[in-house]
Amino acid sequence: MWRLYAEYGREQVPQAILGVFGTLTSRSVGLISPFVLGLAIDAVFLSQREYTLPFLPQAWVPSTPTGLLWLSIAVIAGATVVGAVFQWLANWGWNSFAQHVQHALRVDTYDTMQLLDMGFFDEKQTGEMLSILNNDVNQLETFLNEGISSALRIGVMVLGIGVIMFAINWPLALVALLPVPVLAVFTYLFVKKIQPKYAAVRASVGALNSRLENNIGGIQVIKTENAESYEVERVEGASQHYFDTNWDAITTRIVFFPGLGVITGIGFAITFAVGGFWVLNGAPAGLPGTLTAGQFVTFMVYTQQFIWPMAQFGQIINMYQRAKASSARIFGLMGETAKHMESSDAPDLTVTEGTVEYDDVSFGYAKADEPVLHNVSLTATRGQLLGVVGPTGAGKSTLLKLLVRMYDTDEGTIRIDGTDIHEVNTQSLRRAIGYVSQDPFLFYGTVKENIAYGTFDATDEEIVDAAKRAEAHEFIMNLPDGYDTMVGERGVKLSGGQRQRISIARTILKNPPLLILDEATSHVDTETEALIQRSLNRLAAEKTTFAIAHRLSTIRHADEIIVLDDGRVVERGTHRDLIDNDDLYANLWRVQAGEIDDLPPEFIERAIRRRAEVAETEFAEADAGWEN
Ligand code: ADP
């Protein structure tokens, strides 16, 4: 919390000062009315006291009772207006403070987060990070807004009212304060009892949300499997659980305020009794001090004003605890140290020849696990197409993610034109590489924006030209608003092949010297594939290109094909070489040519074993996803 105020509050000092000043003034001004009320009763109606007000010159005080009454009315009305104005200023100050701190904190947290390496994102749940960026940051709002101002208000009340009450009549002040320790204990017990109940409510909200989210996502399966009644029961179960936990918290909560009322009421009654008899019969048994009827009224109103802020104390503690937990999560995320941070002071990469070398590279996602890549070495030069093939899970995508430094190699080096990619700044590295993935992601925005994503200064002509070369122009022109059609989540639904062509246009526009095509034509029909392949070939002509392919026909003409199996290079050569070699590649080729009967039995056995392993990991992933 200290860090929150020191780092983010520092920029907002003027608002905080306004907030503090406004709160102190409005609360102090609020003390005036009960005091004047008591004074007016004594001086105007009972003529028991002389009419004197601090800071008011005696010459301004009228001599007639009517004049005094008007003065009292004017002071009370004036104090109310002034109090309201200062309260408005205080609210303005604190709200502005809270909003600015929240805004700066959210942007900073996001900025820190997006620079973390992919390993971090693999481990964290999307929902968890969203909840930090959104819920936790918003959670701070209440405390930033009200925390300090409530604490100040209590301070003013305790000090101001306490001092005035003790000055008027200290024995009665002690009586009036009797409920305070009782209230403190009562509030403490309440907070202790309700907190685990609130935690249970939050957990059951989470469970209900996941259930609903999962069901909406899986609506198609629910329908095809006729599982509607089964799901209604499950939703009902989750909703009932939420009902039960919430009801449990409600039954506790609704006891609190009446309970406070009873305690303060008893205290009020005792003060009223002692004070009332004091005014009526004079000081009770040997107690010092005097009490007029007017002072008694002042006293009773202050007692009311005093007790409620004390009861709020528990809420402030509660607010503080929640804000502290959120801050801890936010600063925890800010404190994550990435495996590598993008260091901008490293020199830029300059690609001259476009030669890429993998030198004995090994890599594993987690240190404890078996590495995913073992001692891979390869070289590709400008104008070359290097095909990467192998069964699912062999490590093809991983191999190329290392080139764009989504992850860092554990052993060995990757060099571009002789420079180790770890010694250049990551931005310049990524600028030099175009990446067309199997599952292209489109942002919510126009087609045009999606094509120009990364090349933000592209002109309309360049965008259209890139789309034409990616064979995307025709279908874009058929969209409702052409290049200005909104796509991505919540936008017009595009087919996999259309998304892929937009992503290819994006890469064509970027025109990088190195190219990674990760199953670039996986989502398109055979005809479109031929067209895209043509434009990709044109694009790849003067570049160093890596192409991952399941459909081996797409890399048949590659200059070299690397065959990966279990993270090891098991074969390499041209299509012809590999067919002659008659091993894994030749068998994969037979599968695709439909010559299943010619496959050796060992290949079939391996395939069955491999599918079993893949199914196992997919099952484990699905399981882990569900639990979260
Ligand atoms: P391919 O592209 O050949 O299908 P991948 O490179 O995607 O293979 O995966 C290679 C292996 O690494 C697989 O066993 C896969 O389960 C594992 N893997 C892939 N991505 C991750 C990740 N983010 N975290 C942990 N393991 C991963």
Side-chain angles (χ1 to χ4, degrees):
M1 291 305 276
W2 171 242
R3 200 173 149 196
L4 179 69
Y5 279 97
E7 274 180 32
Y8 291 89
R10 207 172 37 199
E11 310 268 301
Q12 317 303 334
V13 169
Q15 287 102 312
I17 290 176
L18 185 63
V20 170
F21 179 68
T23 307
L24 289 179
T25 316
S26 72
R27 289 297 145 182
S28 309
V29 170
L31 298 178
I32 293 175
S33 298
F35 185 80
V36 173
L37 178 68
L39 182 62
I41 291 173
D42 283 346
V44 180
F45 305 117
L46 307 175
S47 310
Q48 276 187 348
R49 250 202 287 171
E50 198 191 339
Y51 199 107
T52 49
L53 274 175
F55 310 113
L56 187 76
Q58 208 54 39
W60 294 11
V61 177
S63 48
T64 63
T66 316
L68 286 176
L69 192 58
W70 277 117
L71 175 66
S72 305
I73 293 166
V75 172
I76 289 175
T80 308
V81 172
V82 171
V85 169
F86 279 98
Q87 198 179 353
W88 172 73
L89 283 178
N91 285 344
W92 198 94
W94 287 124
N95 278 291
S96 163
F97 177 81
Q99 295 304 324
H100 279 93
V101 168
Q102 254 183 299
H103 171 67
L105 187 64
R106 191 193 324 270
V107 174
D108 251 22
T109 315
Y110 171 75
D111 192 28
T112 313
M113 188 196 71
Q114 72 172 0
L115 291 181
L116 293 171
D117 64 287
M118 287 303 292
F120 171 84
F121 290 93
D122 290 342
E123 274 168 29
K124 291 280 192 261
Q125 293 281 314
T126 316
E128 189 182 331
M129 283 189 289
L130 274 183
S131 105
I132 293 180
L133 285 169
N134 240 337
N135 301 357
D136 283 321
V137 173
N138 294 346
Q139 181 75 63
L140 293 177
E141 175 170 4
T142 340
F143 184 76
L144 290 170
N145 242 344
E146 293 171 21
I148 294 187
S149 77
S150 298
L152 283 177
R153 199 166 60 215
I154 291 183
V156 173
M157 288 299 186
V158 171
L159 267 179
I161 296 184
V163 165
I164 300 177
M165 292 212 298
F166 273 90
I168 294 176
N169 186 319
W170 67 262
L172 192 60
L174 284 179
V175 174
L177 294 187
L178 268 184
V180 171
V182 183
L183 280 176
V185 172
F186 180 69
T187 309
Y188 171 76
L189 292 178
F190 169 76
V191 169
K192 217 172 126 179
K193 188 153 182 209
I194 194 97
Q195 224 141 31
K197 297 189 177 188
Y198 278 152
V201 173
R202 276 196 294 274
S204 69
V205 172
L208 179 60
N209 275 351
S210 315
R211 165 71 47 223
L212 292 173
E213 194 187 299
N214 209 248
N215 282 21
I216 293 169
I219 189 70
Q220 193 169 338
V221 183
I222 295 178
K223 284 185 187 296
T224 55
E225 300 305 317
N226 280 326
E228 286 93 343
S229 52
Y230 173 69
E231 288 302 340
V232 166
E233 266 173 43
R234 290 215 287 183
V235 169
E236 201 203 330
S239 179
Q240 184 67 45
H241 183 58
Y242 172 68
F243 180 104
D244 294 340
T245 48
N246 211 7
W247 186 247
D248 188 31
I250 288 171
T251 46
T252 306
R253 190 175 61 218
I254 55 178
V255 171
F256 183 60
F257 287 103
L260 283 184
V262 170
I263 297 171
T264 52
I266 292 175
F268 191 76
I270 294 175
T271 315
F272 186 69
V274 175
F277 284 113
W278 198 315
V279 175
L280 202 62
N281 303 334
L287 283 176
T290 56
L291 190 68
T292 64
Q295 286 172 329
F296 179 48
V297 170
T298 302
F299 230 93
M300 292 320 291
V301 179
Y302 277 157
T303 306
Q304 281 290 60
Q305 282 193 352
F306 187 68
I307 297 288
W308 283 105
M310 291 311 290
Q312 278 182 347
F313 197 66
Q315 286 186 353
I316 297 179
I317 300 287
N318 196 15
M319 230 182 327
Y320 173 76
Q321 292 294 348
R322 280 163 62 176
K324 201 168 101 174
S326 290
S327 280
R329 278 156 59 89
I330 295 166
F331 286 112
L333 178 62
M334 297 265 238
E336 286 277 351
T337 35
K339 219 151 117 206
H340 65 262
M341 285 297 262
E342 342 266 313
S343 62
S344 47
D345 42 354
D348 276 359
L349 171 73
T350 35
V351 181
T352 48
E353 296 302 314
T355 306
V356 177
E357 282 168 274
Y358 279 60
D359 187 359
D360 213 19
V361 168
S362 297
F363 170 77
Y365 283 100
K367 292 281 162 290
D369 295 348
E370 176 76 356
V372 171
L373 293 172
H374 303 264
N375 308 92
V376 176
S377 294
L378 55 88
T379 308
T381 54
R382 190 212 295 260
Q384 269 196 343
L385 171 65
L386 192 116
V388 183
V389 302
T392 307
K396 305 181 291 293
S397 301
T398 307
L399 181 72
L400 294 175
K401 281 179 188 161
L402 295 180
L403 184 60
V404 278
R405 278 192 81 185
M406 290 291 167
Y407 304 92
D408 278 344
T409 54
D410 294 332
E411 278 164 43
T413 28
I414 302 176
R415 284 184 285 268
I416 296 177
D417 289 337
T419 312
D420 184 342
I421 60 168
H422 295 128
E423 283 161 13
V424 298
N425 97 45
T426 327
Q427 265 141 9
S428 67
L429 171 71
R430 292 181 185 155
R431 221 177 298 134
I433 303 173
Y435 195 109
V436 183
S437 83
Q438 349 187 357
D439 192 15
F441 185 84
L442 297 188
F443 289 93
Y444 179 65
T446 62
V447 170
K448 196 157 65 179
E449 283 163 2
N450 269 289
I451 295 179
Y453 196 84
T455 316
F456 299 103
D457 54 356
T459 63
D460 284 1
E461 290 80 62
E462 287 167 335
I463 292 170
V464 172
D465 185 51
K468 280 184 179 156
R469 289 171 57 198
E471 313 287 349
H473 180 70
E474 310 289 313
F475 89 78
I476 294 173
M477 291 313 287
N478 280 331
L479 292 172
D481 296 315
Y483 281 84
D484 293 318
T485 309
M486 299 299 276
V487 293
E489 208 173 297
R490 291 188 289 137
V492 166
K493 296 274 171 291
L494 296 181
S495 72
Q498 292 170 327
R499 283 190 284 140
Q500 200 118 40
R501 278 177 278 166
I502 290 185
S503 124
I504 292 172
R506 186 188 289 167
T507 309
I508 292 178
L509 187 62
K510 182 176 174 185
N511 195 22
L514 311 176
L515 205 56
I516 298 174
L517 311 174
D518 188 348
E519 286 284 315
T521 52
S522 60
H523 285 293
V524 300
D525 58 88
T526 325
E527 239 170 40
T528 323
E529 179 183 335
L531 293 175
I532 295 181
Q533 205 58 54
R534 201 172 56 138
S535 77
L536 282 178
N537 288 348
R538 241 183 281 138
L539 175 69
E542 308 99 51
K543 303 187 189 305
T544 313
T545 308
F546 294 85
I548 300 179
H550 274 298
R551 268 177 296 174
L552 304 184
S553 58
T554 57
I555 47 126
R556 192 180 168 165
H557 302 292
D559 297 279
E560 188 179 22
I561 298 169
I562 302 280
V563 186
L564 279 182
D565 192 13
D566 275 343
R568 289 188 171 80
V569 180
V570 289
E571 284 179 282
R572 60 172 75 204
T574 61
H575 176 75
R576 247 323 0 120
D577 299 339
L578 296 174
I579 292 292
D580 291 346
N581 206 22
D582 198 17
D583 205 339
L584 182 58
Y585 181 87
N587 286 327
L588 292 170
W589 182 258
R590 276 187 204 114
V591 173
Q592 301 205 345
E595 298 161 8
I596 310 284
D597 294 341
D598 300 339
L599 291 169
E602 310 90 70
F603 178 81
I604 306 278
E605 273 166 33
R606 279 238 33 209
I608 292 172
R609 224 171 332 115
R610 202 150 36 213
R611 294 317 305 174
E613 281 167 21
V614 171
E616 209 170 79
T617 49
E618 276 169 7
F619 188 70
E621 278 165 21
D623 234 24
W626 168 240
E627 272 170 25
N628 288 296

